Amino acid sequence: VDCLVVNLKYVHCSWNKQGTPEVNYTFYSGFRNVKKLSECTTYLLENSTNIGCNQPYADVLNRFNTFYTKLVHGNNNSQKEHELKTKVKLNPPTNLTVKNESDSNLWIYWNQTATKCVESEVRVRTNNKKWETSKISTGKQNYCINLPSRSSQYEIQVRSRIGNNCGESIFWSDWSEPVVWGSNSSTDTTQRNGSMSVWTPVLCVAGVLTLILMVMTLLHHERLRIILIPMVPKPSLIPDDIEV
């Protein structure tokens, strides 16, 4: 049986790591400070077979106590002790927003459970390049990008976990949904330049062919004009039969 505290709301336990069990187990669990283990009220099923359980997590401090589990089928049972202090996985941060404040800096804000115990990481990708990650101290729910470039596009995500001052968890939340600020004009320019570089030879060839056709057309019309309308020689200013 493997167990994990999910978002400080419930304890998720599963016993299908090696595949779906051949029998339906009954699951019991409880922390050290309870008198009796309680049966699961919310089973997780796979092909109509119990493979896990979500047990309510009433007291946020319970994870510092040993958690006991027991699987029972007929006369067979399997018991296990779990230390859940470091096994907490939060949900991803929510309401991620980006604001270009009056100080000309880009500020990112988000919401997370149990803010006093939560540390976060922010990752930023500029113009679809490599992600750059920054660690945010416990309790903070904002991050600043100094003097962002308006000609660049910024993609931002945040994730969180329980920090060291509240019993650090080894599990980070999943990354939040990304938010995007700015416009990737440098990429647009590159794409436009790339498009132009493809069309430039075509346009040059078309221009040369057009010029050749125009010259041939003019030459053809000039020959027709000479044939149909012969040129009349200019009279001499001094006729031959005039004596000086």
Side-chain angles (χ1 to χ4, degrees):
V1 178
D2 295 313
C3 296
L4 178 71
V5 179
V6 178
N7 206 45
L8 300 176
K9 298 295 184 182
Y10 60 90
V11 180
H12 168 77
C13 296
S14 60
W15 49 90
N16 65 331
K17 192 172 183 179
Q18 297 180 349
T20 305
E22 296 181 356
V23 297
N24 250 336
Y25 288 101
T26 302
F27 179 74
Y28 299 87
S29 65
F31 286 95
R32 184 179 58 190
N33 55 344
V34 299
K35 295 181 180 180
K36 183 180 179 182
L37 301 184
S38 58
E39 183 180 349
C40 178
T41 57
T42 309
Y43 281 104
L44 306 175
L45 303 178
E46 184 177 274
N47 298 325
S48 301
T49 302
N50 297 337
I51 61 166
C53 174
N54 288 339
Q55 288 282 57
Y57 182 73
D59 187 346
V60 293
L61 297 178
N62 266 341
R63 66 190 178 92
F64 294 99
N65 297 319
T66 302
F67 186 67
Y68 299 93
T69 60
K70 182 168 69 172
L71 282 177
V72 178
H73 178 70
N75 295 327
N76 298 321
N77 71 80
S78 173
Q79 301 185 47
K80 187 176 180 180
E81 295 182 2
H82 306 262
E83 302 301 330
L84 300 181
K85 174 185 173 181
T86 62
K87 296 182 178 180
V88 179
K89 185 172 182 178
L90 300 175
N91 290 338
T94 58
N95 298 328
L96 191 61
T97 56
V98 180
K99 293 183 179 180
N100 192 8
E101 301 286 16
S102 57
D103 58 3
S104 299
N105 295 327
L106 197 65
W107 285 89
I108 298 96
Y109 304 92
W110 61 89
N111 293 333
Q112 184 52 274
T113 306
T115 56
K116 293 181 180 180
C117 291
V118 174
E119 65 180 12
S120 302
E121 281 188 346
V122 175
R123 68 177 185 179
V124 180
R125 181 166 62 179
T126 307
N127 295 336
N128 295 318
K129 295 179 182 178
K130 186 178 179 181
W131 288 102
E132 295 183 2
T133 303
S134 301
K135 199 165 186 176
I136 310 301
S137 58
T138 302
K140 288 188 66 176
Q141 294 190 89
N142 59 68
Y143 177 74
C144 177
I145 298 175
N146 293 318
L147 302 175
S149 170
R150 291 188 175 275
S151 62
S152 297
Q153 177 178 283
Y154 297 85
E155 185 178 358
I156 304 137
Q157 288 182 295
V158 184
R159 67 177 182 177
S160 303
R161 72 172 176 180
I162 299 295
N164 185 56
N165 58 341
C166 294
E168 185 177 273
S169 175
I170 60 175
F171 295 100
W172 285 93
S173 73
D174 295 333
W175 287 104
S176 67
E177 289 296 320
V179 293
V180 177
W181 182 89
S183 60
N184 193 350
S185 59
S186 60
T187 301
D188 295 341
T189 303
T190 302
Q191 291 175 346
R192 288 196 298 270
N193 291 339
S195 300
M196 287 300 295
S197 64
V198 172
W199 284 102
T200 298
V202 177
L203 294 174
C204 290
V205 172
V208 171
L209 291 175
T210 302
L211 183 60
I212 293 173
L213 288 174
M214 289 176 64
V215 171
M216 292 178 64
T217 302
L218 289 173
L219 290 175
H220 179 69
H221 283 292
E222 183 67 15
R223 289 179 63 188
L224 286 177
R225 190 182 68 81
I226 293 174
I227 295 173
L228 297 176
I229 309 174
M231 291 183 65
V232 177
K234 292 182 179 181
S236 176
L237 294 176
I238 305 176
D240 294 337
D241 56 348
I242 297 177
E243 294 182 359
V244 178

